[in-house]
Amino acid sequence: MPTLMHLYPLTGAALVGLGLYGIVTLRHPLRQLLAVNVVGAGIFLILGGLGRGTASTDPFPQALVITGIVVAVALTAFGAALVVRVAEEERARDDTAAVEATGDSA
Amino acid sequence: MTLAFDLILCLMIVGTAAAALLTHNALAAIVFFIVFGNLLGLAWLAMNAVNVAMAEIAIGAGITGVLLILTRQRLMALGDDLISAETPGWLRAGAVLACTGLTALVGSAVLSVAPADDLGGPIAALLPELGIENPVTGVLLAFRAYDTLLETFVLLGALVAVWSLAPGNAWPRPPASLNLAESGGGSVAQAFGRLLLPLALVMAAYLVWAGSDFPGGAFQAGTVLAGGLIIAAIGGAVAWPRADNSILRAVLVLGPGVFLIIGLAGIALGRFLFYPPGFAKAMIVAIEYSLALSIGATLALLLAGRSVAPDHRS
C-alpha cells in the first residue's frame, strides 16, 4: 500500500506548510523561531520517511537527520540570543527617550 | 492496529504543531512545541529509527524547549509581553492559500518517490570493516564523517556567535545564573542537581560506548550531559564559568580538535578522515568520547547564553 508508506513524509509536507504559515503570520520573532523549527521537523520527516523500508529505515538519511537536528538547535540558540539582544537595545532606547521626555537628562 | 496508531500519531503531530503556531499565549505555544517534539520522537520510533528518536526527543524537544522557555523568561524581564500582533485578514488568507498550495506541491513530490531502504544493505556490508554494528554511527563517523566534522564546528561557531552578542561591559563575565537555591526554597533543585549530574555522566559514558553497536552515540550522550549540567546549575551545584576560562575553552574545542587531528592524520595514510584498518573502532570511540564532552558543554552554554553585566539579573 503506497499511501501507508507515505504517511510520515506526507505529515512532513503538512508540517512544512504549517510552519511557513506561522513564519508569515506570526509577528513575534521568538514565535517565528518556533515556526522555523516546525518547518525543519517537517523536512526531517520527509527525508527520513522516504528512506523507510519494510523492516528498517535507511541509516543514511537517519544520520543526515541527526546532523540536521543538531544544526537546528545551534540556529535556534543563536536566533534566541539575537532576539534577546534586540529587546535589550529597544529597552535601552525607550529608557533614554523617557528620560529625555521628562527633561531629567543628566 | 499499526495503521490506526500511525494515523492517530500523525494527526496528533500536525495538531500539536498547529496549536504551537496558532495559540496566543507564548508559554502555551512552547509547551505544545515540546509535546510536538516528543510525538515526533514516537514517529521516529515507529519508523525503527531509534537513533533519530533519541536525538529528536533530547535535542529537538528537550534542549530547544528549555531554550525557548529561558528566552521567554529573559524577554519578559525586559518588558516584552511576547504578544504576536494581529496580522491583517488579507495576509492570513493569502498565506493560507500559498501554504496550502506549497503543501500540495511538496506532497505530490513526496508521493512521486517510493520509500525504500536503499542504502541499508550496502552500509551493513561495509560495517564489519569498521568493527561497529550501529549503521547510523558508521555513517556519522566514517562514511559521512565530513558532515559530522563540519557540524561540530557549526555547533562551536554558534556558541562563539552567541558569545559575540555580549555587550562590551559584560565580556567575559559568566552568563546569568540559573541558580534557584539563591532565591530560597530551592533545596529540592539543589539536592536533585547534585544527584543527577553524576548519573548523567555515567549515562553519557554508557551511551557513547553502546552507540557503537546499539542506538546511541556522541550527540545523544552530549545532550544527556548538557541536561545534567543544566539541572546542576539550577540547583546551584555548578556555577557558569567565565568565557575566558582556559579549561572551559579546552573542553569546548577538544571534540572538534580530536576529530580534525585524526582526520588530518588520515592524509598520511591515504586520504582525509581515513581510519587505518583494524583501528577504526578505537578511533571512532576516541572521537566520540571527546565529542560527547564538548557537545555537552557547548549545548549547556548555548542554553546559559552570553555574558551579562554585573547589575543584570534575568
Side-chain angles (χ1 to χ4, degrees), chain B residues 58 62 78 143 148 166 196 237 260 263 273 287 297 308:
Chain B
L78 288 166
F143 310 130
T148 313
L196 203 71
L260 190 61
L273 286 166
I287 292 172
V308 289

Side-chain angles (χ1 to χ4, degrees), chain B residues 119-145:
Chain B
L119 289 170
I123 289 171
L126 288 170
L127 282 180
E129 223 174 282
L130 294 176
I132 59 176
E133 282 171 37
N134 181 354
V136 178
T137 300
V139 175
L140 278 174
L141 272 304
F143 310 130
R144 294 294 300 187

